[in-house]
Every structure is written in structure tokens, then in C-alpha cells.
Amino acid sequence: MTAGSKSAAHGPLHGMRVLDLSRILAGPTCTQALGDLGATVLKIENPGTGGDDTRQWGPHYVADVAGAQTDLSAYFMSTNRNKHSIAVDITTAEGQAHIRRLAADAHILIENFKPGGLDKYGLGYAEMSAENPSLVYGSISGFGQTGPNRDKPGYDLMAQGYGGLMSITGEPEGEPMKVGVGIADVMCGMYATIGLLAALRHAEATGQGQHVEVALVDAQIAWMINEGVNYLTSGALPQRRGNRHPNIVPYGVYATADGHVIIAVGNDGQFKRFTDAIGLPALANDPRFATNPGRLEHRDALADLLEPTVAQIPTQTLISALETCKVPVGPVQTLDQVFASDQVAAREMQIDMTTPAGEVCHLIGNPLKLSQTPVTYRHAPPRFGADTTRLEADNPWDTPSE
């Protein structure tokens, strides 16, 4: 990959060529991150299905300038900016030839077919790496390329269930609960991004590509983090605690006089300042509550003493008081409050992009802030097949606007 003099203006990955055969969420999350950092991403979509499945995942869509519904669903747009859409039927000899031609000049190929799914088209890792030895070939699947569950389908909800997350999410007496967004998919995409960039560095140094494979369930298990290691260390199964923390008390959501507030007491000094601020200073000297291990052991007794007092204090009054004494505290915001906040504006976490046809897409910004080579927003999420004519060019990867 050669970044050249434009790298600062177009991102640290300017010049990287990514052939994206993925769809739905995990793979597109990865390739959007690469695109935001400057890579040229060619998204291959199936003309027989109308493209990426999520183009049909409503109910919210961008309308065209005449007011008609487009194929730019909110779900699709969330992970498909900075890409070019090319319609290719890989089941045909012509389509397979197109993919091989593109892959011959690609730095990265990423796909999320079932394990071995591309082999029958001659597009698997062995075939593609033989033609381009430096190619970094990424595969995302539900359970991975090996293991007894290799051939089972993988969806975010199933990964959250199989990987243990749902067993610790939700109210203690409630049913197992998934996270409100497809977090297993998103985190799998993030792990894939790390692996692909690491493999790319190796390829640039040695000329040798490799196969990078990530499974939804593996990624889900990996980020069980403290709760996973809590179990491995103790042998005790963690329990659903709602918003309570398994290792810190008090830490959670508390009802106030007019809403809810998050209080996160991380050490004994903060606990003393917290109890002073709410008018219960004696609790910090009570042997049951003076230290975090004691508070963990007596968490229910402490909750019975704290909750009635907190419930009498207005939300903003409590937030102001705890911020003054430097106890971690915050609101529970709805999305309208989130995107109207001055913090979101200051951090550019809500952006607008306009398609070539004039459709305006309201999107979430990239959280990465690089001082020398910042992320760039060059291309709005593409309409299906908008860049298919690129296949007729001598160099399909030629993108002057990149």
C-alpha cells in the first residue's frame, strides 16, 4: 500500500484497496472503519437479491428528491458509507472473473459466507492467495472455520446467547436479555479490523498475505472480560444483576424524584464523598460499607439505605452535587437528548452526507480522532449497484475522489 502525499488529506489508509464481499453488520462494520480511515472499499452486492440484506431492513428509509423510498435503509446506512457498490453475480463464470480481477490488485478481501462457501466458486482463500500472494483474506462466520459448530448459521442474537452474554444481562428475576443493538456483530467487526490491519502490516513487510478469520461467538466470548474471568477464577456462575456491577458497589441506575441517574462509585474515597453529599455520612463509617469488599457482601442492605434517600432528590440537583464533589454521575438520556447535546456537536458524532442524487443521509460519526490523519467522510452510503460500470474500466480501483 502506498499512501503518498495525499495520506494526510484522505486518511492514514489512503491507497489501501479493500474488496468487500460481506453483508449485514459484522463485515460492513469492519469495512466502513477502513473506509473512514481512507481505504478505497468496493462493496460487492448480489444482483439477484437486490444487494445487501439490510437494504430491506426498514421501517426507516431515506427518500429521494421526489419523495419516493430508496434502498437506503437506516440500518444499511449505519455501516456502509465510504464505499462503492458494484453488482456482481458470483455464481456465474463472468462474475467470478470480475472478483478475481478485483482481488488481483486488492490489499484486503473480506467475506462472511458460510465456511467454505466461496470455495465452490473458486473464490476461497487458497485460490485467491495463489493469484495474489500478498492478499490479506478475511473471513467472518458464526462459529469459525473449525470446530463442531462450523456449519451452523451465525446471527447476533444467537452469538449473544451461545457466548454467555444473555445469561448475565437483564433483571435478576427476569428472562435472559440481549443487548439493545447487535453488539456481538459490531465487536466481531472491530476484532476483524484489528486482525486485518495487523496482517496487512506483515504483508507489507514480507510480501506474504494470510487468512484472518474471526467468529461471532469467539468475539462474544472474548469480550465477556471481567465476568468471564470471574467465573474462570471462582467457578461460580455470574448472575443477572440488572444495572448493578458484579465487582463494585454502589454502581448502577437509581430512581430520583423526577427520573433516573447513574451513580458509579469506584473507590472508598468516592463512597465517603457520595454519602456526605446525600446526607448519609454515617454509612462511610459503618464497618459493613466502609470498603468495597464489605459493600459487595452487603449490597442489598446498602441499597435499602441509599435508594429511599436518592429517590427524594431531583435528578439535576443530584448530578450537580455529585459532580461538585467529583463522584462519577450521569443522566440516562434518550436518543433525542443524545443527538441534541453540545457534547455530540463538539465531538462531531452526528454527521450529514449527501448522495450524488441529492439525498441527505443523517449518520453517526466515527469516534476515532487522529491528530495528523483524521477520518474523512468522502462518499455517502451508495445506492445498490451505483458503481457497477467501474468493472468496464481498465483500472476498476481508480478512484480519483479518494
Side-chain angles (χ1 to χ4, degrees):
M1 179 184 70
T2 57
S5 62
K6 292 184 178 180
S7 61
H10 295 269
L13 301 185
H14 175 72
M16 178 196 291
R17 298 184 289 273
V18 178
L19 185 56
D20 183 5
L21 275 70
S22 71
R23 62 195 189 280
I24 304 182
L25 188 52
T29 294
C30 169
T31 51
Q32 177 169 275
L34 299 175
D36 284 356
L37 291 167
T40 298
V41 182
L42 302 187
K43 181 178 178 71
I44 304 303
E45 299 194 69
N46 183 353
T49 62
D52 191 309
D53 307 51
T54 63
R55 288 187 183 274
Q56 307 302 319
W57 289 9
H60 306 296
Y61 299 85
V62 165
D64 65 18
V65 292
Q69 178 179 301
T70 70
D71 60 6
L72 295 176
S73 71
Y75 201 117
F76 175 82
M77 291 193 299
S78 70
T79 55
N80 283 288
R81 65 169 168 255
N82 284 334
K83 302 179 186 181
H84 306 277
S85 172
I86 298 178
V88 176
D89 184 355
I90 67 170
T91 67
T92 68
E94 180 184 20
Q96 292 156 21
H98 284 317
I99 298 301
R100 284 193 291 272
R101 180 189 177 204
L102 294 171
D105 293 316
H107 298 104
I108 290 175
L109 182 154
I110 184 166
E111 56 89 12
N112 65 344
F113 287 73
K114 291 180 180 179
L118 287 179
D119 292 345
K120 60 184 176 182
Y121 303 122
L123 303 177
Y125 170 65
E127 295 89 350
M128 303 301 269
S129 62
E131 297 184 21
N132 180 356
S134 65
L135 180 67
V136 173
Y137 189 109
S139 296
I140 292 175
S141 61
F143 288 87
Q145 306 294 308
T146 58
N149 293 339
R150 172 181 184 270
D151 295 322
K152 291 185 177 181
Y155 291 91
D156 177 88
L157 179 61
M158 296 169 66
Q160 290 195 38
Y162 193 95
L165 179 64
M166 292 176 65
S167 74
I168 63 169
T169 305
E171 291 298 325
E173 303 304 321
E175 66 180 3
M177 190 68 62
K178 73 177 184 67
V179 176
V181 295
I183 191 63
D185 269 319
V186 171
M187 286 302 299
C188 184
M190 294 294 100
Y191 278 110
T193 304
I194 296 169
L196 293 170
L197 292 178
L200 183 65
R201 183 176 185 189
H202 173 78
E204 290 178 329
T206 67
Q208 179 184 34
Q210 59 185 294
H211 192 189
V212 177
E213 68 114 338
V214 189
L216 256 65
V217 169
D218 291 353
Q220 165 63 83
I221 293 171
W223 62 267
M224 289 299 287
I225 50 172
N226 59 304
E227 282 287 52
V229 178
N230 281 344
Y231 165 71
L232 293 175
T233 301
S234 68
L237 286 173
Q239 304 299 311
R240 291 193 299 279
R241 297 185 178 88
N243 290 310
R244 293 181 172 186
H245 197 286
N247 303 103
I248 309 171
V249 175
Y251 184 111
V253 177
Y254 292 82
T256 63
D258 56 356
H260 291 85
V261 69
I262 296 168
I263 300 171
V265 172
N267 57 53
D268 299 337
Q270 289 178 358
F271 181 68
K272 184 178 189 313
R273 297 196 299 275
F274 168 55
T275 55
D276 286 346
I278 63 172
L280 297 175
L283 293 183
N285 298 317
D286 189 314
R288 295 174 297 170
F289 311 133
T291 66
N292 188 64
R295 294 192 293 275
L296 282 169
E297 183 180 355
H298 302 286
R299 67 162 71 228
D300 290 336
L302 179 59
D304 289 342
L305 295 169
L306 290 177
E307 290 173 0
T309 296
V310 173
Q312 298 177 37
I313 306 172
T315 300
Q316 195 53 53
T317 300
L318 183 59
I319 290 176
S320 297
L322 295 187
E323 285 181 341
T324 298
C325 64
K326 301 190 181 309
V327 172
V329 63
V332 179
Q333 298 194 126
T334 53
L335 288 182
D336 57 334
Q337 296 170 318
V338 171
F339 288 111
S341 70
D342 53 2
Q343 180 69 18
V344 162
R347 298 292 291 174
E348 298 181 330
M349 287 307 297
Q350 192 270 311
I351 63 169
D352 292 342
M353 300 184 73
T354 304
T355 71
E359 298 125 357
V360 178
C361 307
H362 305 297
L363 306 173
I364 298 173
N366 191 305
L368 295 174
K369 314 298 179 187
L370 284 72
S371 63
Q372 297 300 317
T373 53
V375 302
T376 57
Y377 305 115
R378 306 175 308 285
H379 310 289
R383 298 289 295 274
F384 169 64
D387 303 280
T388 303
T389 56
R390 185 186 299 270
L391 294 174
E392 302 169 4
D394 291 337
N395 178 11
W397 289 100
D398 183 24
T399 54
S401 62
E402 298 285 355

